[in-house]
Amino acid sequence: MTTTNTDCIGKVYLVGAGPGDPGLLTLKGKALLECADVVVYDALVSEPILAMINPIAERIDAGKRRGRHSMAQEEITQLLIEKAQEAAIVVRLKGGDPFIFGRGGEEMTDLIAAGVSVEMVPGITSGIAAPAYAGIPLTHRSYSSSVTFVTGHEEAGKYRPAVNWGAIAQGSETIVIYMGVHNLPHIIEQLHQAGMSLATPIAMVRWGTRPEQEELIGTLETICAQMESANFGAPAIAVIGNVVNLHEILSQCRPQFLDVKF
């Protein structure tokens, strides 16, 4: 439960750090990091982006990873409220985009309810950037005219019990799944039961846009065995659909990680 306080002297900025490559951070996000008094950051924010933070700013690691939650969501929100009472510029730095499976909407709502001034700074979400760096266009006139972004990891007690994988299988030519590594066998089963062929191409992109980016290309029938054999784990984005077939050609011209100091 958050505390309401109208005496805040500062403002909280929910900044999307992007997927990892520092060249994909927005200019507005970079400027805020350079002048921030406090930065509360997530686990998936890359080191080159953390290096842009004002050297005298207070840094707080609030990162959450599967099975290792350093701070509860309620604690993070309360921390932001408290820091806004002490500092002028408080940056909540979140991997990807705060409003795409990043709980940015929850944090922003709670901050407004507590009387805290808050502003959203969008970031490039990994569901777009990781496939692009792997040479997989999510839409293509010859392959796909629709794309669906969906989480593969659902919160208990959420607004409805489950993703309607049947509807997604029937209604979208390209499916992008966030946080789906651990539930992938179940997801594939649901898609297949809805009529999707096990021969459908799938790509798994791990650590997208970073120097350590890895890809596995297979089909719904083969991918789980491939992942087990390669010890391929999270964090990874899954892309399902015929656009995956373009990987072999387009990945020859993949973008390069921008390993420079700003």
Side-chain angles (χ1 to χ4, degrees), residues 110-208:
D110 289 342
L111 289 167
I112 291 172
V116 178
S117 180
V118 59
E119 183 177 326
M120 164 69 173
V121 180
I124 297 178
T125 181
S126 59
I128 292 174
Y133 271 54
I136 302 172
L138 299 182
T139 65
H140 188 288
R141 286 194 301 170
S142 299
Y143 293 88
S144 173
S145 297
S146 59
V147 58
T148 296
F149 297 92
V150 60
T151 177
H153 174 73
E154 296 186 89
E155 187 72 22
K158 62 193 290 290
Y159 68 101
R160 66 184 185 198
V163 171
N164 189 338
W165 292 106
I168 291 173
Q170 296 294 329
S172 185
E173 293 168 296
T174 303
I175 305 170
V176 179
I177 304 173
Y178 292 68
M179 300 170 287
V181 168
H182 298 281
N183 290 332
L184 193 60
H186 169 73
I187 293 169
I188 290 174
E189 180 183 2
Q190 294 295 307
L191 293 173
H192 181 52
Q193 288 180 0
M196 184 172 285
S197 169
L198 290 177
T200 303
I202 178 172
M204 302 297 299
V205 185
R206 185 172 189 258
W207 293 117

